[in-house]
Amino acid sequence: MLDLFSQIENPERDEIILLRRQLEEANYQYYVLNAPTMLDYDFDQKLRRLQDLEARHPDMFDPKSPTQHVGSDLHEEKAEKGQQKTKKGFEQVAHRYPMLSLSNTYSREEVEEWMSKLPQGAEVVCELKYDGLSISLWYEHGQLTKALTRGDGVKGDNVLQNIQTIARIPKLIVQDNMPEYVEMRGEVLLPWQAFERLNKEREQDEEPLFANPRNAASGTLKLQDSSEVARRGLDIYLYYMLGDNLPEQTHYDRLQIAKQWGFPISDAVKVCKTVEEVMAYIHYWDIERKNLPVATDGIVLKVNNLALQEELGYTAKSPRWAIAYKFPAEKQLTRLNAITYQVGRTGVVTPVANLEAIQLSGTTVQRATLHNEDFIRQLDIREGDMVWVEKGGEIIPKIIGKEDNSTLPNPTSYYAFPSHCPECGTQLVRIDGEAAWRCPNEATCPPQIKGKIEHYVSRKAMNIEGLGSETIDLLYSQGLLHNIADIYALSQSDIAQQERLGEKSAQNILASIEQSKQIPWARVLFALGIRMVGETTAKKIARRFPSIDQLQWASIEQLTAIEDVGEQIANNIIAYFNDMHNLEIIYRLRQANVQMESTEEEATPQSNVLQGKSIVISGVFAHHSRDEYKAMIEAHGGKNVGSVSKKTSFILAGDNMGPEKRKKAQDLGVEILNEDDFLALIQAL
Ligand code: IVH
């Protein structure tokens, strides 16, 4: 009885349960959704508190507690937690050595405390803590055979094909002193420049932007199309070696050997003997890191002597021979004056914080995103609170937390998300499984209409020049442009009478509108702006459904059979065609002679040089994506098949074709063509 009583009444036990739940949730947001909601610092504070409490209540030990395992990025878990079905078929492989995390520190005192526990005179290696995703590269007999993500620490996704696109990674090492098996651990990164270029492209294509290079690198590494991965330009730094019979007695010397073997090892590695030296390293890099081409978020300290490392060993989550010191994030406290709402092209209503102006990373910040309703509620943010704003690598500054006890006395009410669209007054809806509230009034909600028109005319869609957002605004407010079909009803005088536009611009705009009638069906489909149908998906759909009439009647099964089309996209397409307003627009676009089907040239084979041939595609390509090669094979009468057999006519092989496929092809005597041979064959070079 007493025991039961103590279990119910003991607030520490309740706290353990609460903390475990909060940390689990934060791990999920960080690793799986790539959308962290808790500050790293808060996470670590809560984790420490949980560790203390668990130590005081050993009977509550749970191997599943966040103190006992690292977060997971495995994609199967995404599906389990009700996310959109993923078709990412990466092979899952058990790690030979678990992939652990590092325990974090934030102050000189903590660094000092850790060093004071080491034997007298022990050397410490200082390294930069790169802010990307950890990767484990397997080298068997000098050859790179696997590249595993951390996954849940025990098993990871094999992303070898994508990793092979990183130029600095050696694919084959021929060195006498290289042991039979070597595993290199490191961090995959998207350099700032590549990140900015990628986001610029995404902005132009009206695709959602990546919040920071870490998220962009994570999204990139899990792409199916290796040629797209190659194009984005990932980079890597390696920082630890594992295996049997490895050379050298210290971590530093091993890194130097690894460098000699050709591995990309940072030059910023330094052996330090005293706390002062470590602190000098930290201070130096806290400033100098801003000039580095990649993101860093701290310093890692590692015991140099490998025998001592072994002696110190590991906890369930991290080595005792290493710790991380995290740089303080660039953040500032300011007053939240008001929460307003912004309605996007797809009707998503985003809460925006209007702030007392502050200086952050060299710019004035007055507005920041508050993400969504759940975020505001979780942090119990109210107008008038003092909030923390962070800019860092993010495009849009964001609110990351609030100062405790900063809520003004007698706040008017708890926060409530508006029930109706701030732009058009329609009742908002919240789709199951999504955090966002959405205005369903696609047809007449002004920002949605204007956003759809801007998307339609954009370069990658119908490429209509001269219709910028200001002109669209003007034409909209005069009642001349209310949907994309109205574009084709604009007259010379409609345009010429606008401020800052004259007869000449009007002529140019009309000529560009006329030209848009030649844009192929796949791009028209993208231009329609069906939710989640991006450029590539539109191409794939148009290939399967070469006319809008066919697409209009497509079933959910037919749609989900298309690569990249999950249930959610299929439902969006079906909903689009169930809307009378959209059908009317399509009718009018068709009347205007916009391409609603593939031309004969696109739909019929370009030649029959590959007639009757079964072709396997393997590896990474330089000139075209795999999908483009697939389309070429079909356009020339051939068939693309998945696996090598006696019936395979030839293999179209890029770089890094799988060794098993190569062997099988050789055994069966199947010819292997490189991409230039292939292009010459179909005479497309
Ligand atoms: S050593 C046994 N060294 O930080 C742990 N990690 O927060 C070995 N990281 O999972 C990690 N730079 O992804 C190490 N120079 C560095 C690092 C580094 C970045 C990452 C790594 C690790 C995470 C821990």
Side-chain angles (χ1 to χ4, degrees):
M1 255 332 260
L2 193 66
D3 197 36
L4 183 63
F5 180 76
S6 74
Q7 283 198 15
I8 295 167
E9 288 298 304
N10 191 330
E12 288 196 344
R13 304 180 78 90
D14 288 348
E15 198 182 341
I16 290 180
I17 292 163
L18 179 70
L19 284 169
R20 283 179 182 166
R21 231 190 4 241
Q22 288 178 343
L23 293 169
E24 249 351 302
E25 184 61 27
N27 262 334
Y28 174 65
Q29 311 267 14
Y30 185 90
Y31 288 107
V32 179
L33 300 185
N34 281 328
T37 52
M38 195 185 281
L39 276 177
D40 284 2
Y41 179 79
D42 293 343
F43 184 93
D44 290 333
Q45 296 297 317
K46 284 184 197 285
L47 193 69
R48 274 185 200 185
R49 171 81 183 143
L50 180 58
Q51 269 161 349
D52 290 349
L53 291 172
E54 285 180 347
R56 283 215 289 276
H57 299 273
D59 59 312
M60 284 191 74
F61 173 80
D62 182 348
K64 293 204 292 297
S65 167
T67 56
Q68 304 300 314
H69 66 87
V70 297
S72 170
D73 67 30
L74 291 176
H75 270 263
E76 55 172 16
E77 301 201 356
K78 227 178 188 176
E80 267 174 25
K81 299 216 178 181
Q83 292 296 300
Q84 204 200 344
K85 177 181 84 181
T86 99
K87 289 187 177 175
K88 312 215 162 159
F90 293 110
E91 172 199 21
Q92 270 185 16
V93 180
H95 289 294
R96 293 203 191 181
Y97 307 90
M99 271 184 101
L100 301 175
S101 179
L102 290 169
S103 59
N104 288 331
T105 63
Y106 292 89
S107 67
R108 182 190 166 108
E109 289 70 37
E110 287 171 294
V111 171
E112 230 167 309
E113 193 193 325
W114 180 77
M115 284 184 74
S116 70
K117 287 189 194 144
L118 302 177
Q120 191 103 79
E123 286 177 346
V124 166
V125 179
C126 291
E127 296 173 18
L128 287 171
K129 185 170 189 306
Y130 294 102
D131 193 13
L133 318 84
S134 40
I135 195 86
S136 187
L137 306 179
W138 294 19
Y139 284 84
E140 294 170 275
H141 302 283
Q143 186 176 355
L144 174 62
T145 54
K146 284 195 172 38
L148 306 186
T149 65
R150 175 155 80 167
D152 58 5
V154 177
K155 57 184 182 314
D157 283 332
N158 183 10
V159 289
L160 180 64
Q161 282 227 342
N162 290 344
I163 281 293
Q164 281 169 325
T165 67
I166 303 177
R168 295 209 303 153
I169 294 184
K171 319 293 181 298
L172 181 69
I173 297 173
V174 188
Q175 294 279 349
D176 289 344
N177 58 349
M178 174 112 176
E180 218 167 82
Y181 180 73
V182 172
E183 196 168 321
M184 290 301 298
R185 296 267 167 99
E187 202 81 352
V188 176
L189 302 142
L190 195 67
W192 287 111
Q193 248 186 4
F195 165 70
E196 272 149 27
R197 187 185 58 216
L198 177 63
N199 258 353
K200 216 171 264 163
E201 284 169 13
R202 290 175 77 87
E203 197 173 3
Q204 273 175 7
D205 298 347
E206 306 201 351
E207 284 172 302
L209 303 187
F210 286 115
N212 52 47
R214 197 197 81 85
N215 290 1
S218 163
T220 302
L221 205 54
K222 300 248 164 155
L223 284 175
Q224 286 296 289
D225 181 354
S226 300
S227 55
E228 174 62 15
V229 180
R231 204 185 61 80
R232 290 193 185 175
L234 291 170
D235 200 0
I236 191 163
Y237 283 96
L238 298 170
Y239 46 62
Y240 199 61
M241 192 192 292
L242 287 155
D244 305 323
N245 307 318
L246 298 180
E248 306 296 349
Q249 302 307 313
T250 66
H251 171 65
Y252 182 83
D253 290 343
R254 266 196 195 159
L255 288 185
Q256 302 318 307
I257 288 265
K259 202 187 256 181
Q260 282 167 23
W261 288 341
F263 286 112
I265 308 285
S266 166
D267 289 328
V269 182
K270 186 168 190 281
V271 179
C272 292
K273 295 198 169 76
T274 63
V275 177
E276 284 63 38
E277 280 173 22
V278 171
M279 282 303 141
Y281 184 91
I282 290 176
H283 292 317
Y284 176 79
W285 282 109
D286 195 7
I287 312 238
E288 206 42 45
R289 74 193 181 107
K290 292 178 185 129
N291 299 322
L292 292 174
V294 293
T296 54
D297 62 346
I299 298 292
V300 181
L301 310 178
K302 296 174 186 168
V303 165
N304 195 19
N305 186 306
L306 294 165
L308 182 54
Q309 280 192 6
E310 203 167 320
E311 204 176 297
L312 290 166
Y314 297 83
T315 70
K317 278 188 68 168
S318 51
R320 289 199 188 85
W321 47 261
I323 52 162
Y325 166 84
K326 300 277 284 247
F327 293 127
E330 282 196 72
K331 58 176 188 175
Q332 283 237 29
L333 203 56
T334 190
R335 180 77 64 194
L336 169 65
N337 288 331
I339 301 176
T340 54
Y341 299 87
Q342 203 168 319
V343 183
R345 161 168 84 86
T346 55
V348 170
V349 182
T350 308
V352 178
N354 293 257
L355 306 162
E356 203 68 48
I358 38 158
Q359 287 294 313
L360 249 190
S361 315
T363 53
T364 307
V365 174
Q366 256 176 312
R367 282 155 65 84
T369 179
L370 278 161
H371 310 282
N372 53 49
E373 181 187 19
D374 293 349
F375 178 83
I376 300 175
R377 281 184 185 278
Q378 266 163 23
L379 296 177
D380 188 23
I381 287 178
R382 312 202 206 161
E383 291 181 345
D385 282 352
M386 291 301 285
V387 289
W388 284 104
V389 190
E390 197 179 272
K391 192 136 176 275
E394 287 78 12
I395 325 301
I396 304 164
K398 58 182 181 182
I399 304 296
I400 49 166
K402 84 169 197 180
E403 188 72 346
D404 285 344
N405 306 322
S406 73
T407 298
L408 297 172
N410 307 319
T412 39
S413 61
Y414 279 96
Y415 173 75
F417 205 85
S419 57
H420 290 75
C421 175
E423 296 278 349
C424 72
T426 305
Q427 187 158 18
L428 301 179
V429 292
R430 189 169 166 169
I431 296 165
D432 267 357
E434 281 185 20
W437 284 95
R438 192 183 290 283
C439 168
N441 177 18
E442 285 186 43
T444 64
C445 180
Q448 295 193 58
I449 296 174
K450 286 188 261 178
K452 279 204 178 67
I453 298 172
E454 282 174 25
H455 170 71
Y456 185 84
V457 302
S458 66
R459 194 175 49 81
K460 288 215 171 167
M462 303 302 275
N463 194 22
I464 298 176
E465 286 171 9
L467 281 185
S469 69
E470 277 176 34
T471 313
I472 291 173
D473 249 357
L474 284 172
L475 294 168
Y476 172 81
S477 60
Q478 292 160 18
L480 292 167
L481 196 53
H482 267 131
N483 59 50
I484 53 176
D486 288 345
I487 294 174
Y488 297 93
L490 289 173
S491 70
Q492 169 89 12
S493 62
D494 287 342
I495 305 173
Q497 76 190 12
Q498 302 302 327
E499 233 177 276
R500 276 178 290 132
L501 294 177
E503 297 293 337
K504 185 75 200 134
S505 330
Q507 262 173 25
N508 290 342
I509 293 173
L510 284 180
S512 191
I513 291 174
E514 197 53 35
Q515 265 183 1
S516 75
K517 297 176 183 172
Q518 306 304 321
I519 297 284
W521 156 232
R523 266 171 69 182
V524 175
L525 175 57
F526 167 60
L528 292 180
I530 302 174
R531 280 212 294 131
M532 295 169 72
V533 176
E535 203 193 350
T536 320
T537 312
K539 270 192 205 151
K540 290 179 183 167
I541 297 171
R543 204 172 295 141
R544 168 69 182 79
F545 294 100
S547 77
I548 199 158
D549 293 329
Q550 287 166 289
L551 179 61
Q552 188 174 343
W553 303 111
S555 67
I556 189 138
E557 291 77 20
Q558 287 173 321
L559 289 167
T560 49
I562 303 172
E563 193 186 5
D564 281 2
V565 178
E567 247 169 62
Q568 222 170 336
I569 299 185
N571 282 329
N572 291 345
I573 296 171
I574 289 169
Y576 181 88
F577 287 109
N578 276 339
D579 185 323
M580 277 308 293
H581 179 77
N582 291 333
L583 296 182
E584 189 194 319
I585 289 177
I586 290 167
Y587 174 80
R588 290 180 54 209
L589 291 175
R590 202 197 287 266
Q591 294 295 95
N593 287 327
V594 172
Q595 303 287 323
M596 292 295 186
E597 56 189 50
S598 303
T599 57
E600 237 170 78
E601 197 187 321
E602 287 162 338
T604 52
Q606 289 170 17
S607 82
N608 55 5
V609 282
L610 302 177
Q611 190 71 47
K613 298 221 185 308
S614 294
I615 300 154
V616 170
I617 304 180
S618 179
V620 184
F621 298 93
H623 301 313
H624 297 278
S625 71
R626 265 168 178 263
D627 284 325
E628 283 167 348
Y629 278 120
K630 225 183 246 183
M632 283 183 218
I633 290 172
E634 279 158 20
H636 291 272
K639 203 166 113 192
N640 171 229
V641 292
S643 57
V644 183
S645 74
K646 277 204 305 281
K647 292 193 199 130
T648 308
S649 314
F650 65 83
I651 298 176
L652 166 55
D655 278 352
N656 307 314
M657 173 183 171
E660 277 153 42
K661 259 195 192 146
R662 187 173 287 278
K663 183 164 184 320
K664 195 159 177 198
Q666 277 159 359
D667 291 348
L668 294 171
V670 176
E671 197 185 350
I672 299 176
L673 260 60
N674 67 28
E675 59 181 324
D676 293 335
D677 297 339
F678 175 80
L679 290 170
L681 182 68
I682 62 164
Q683 289 172 343
L685 205 56

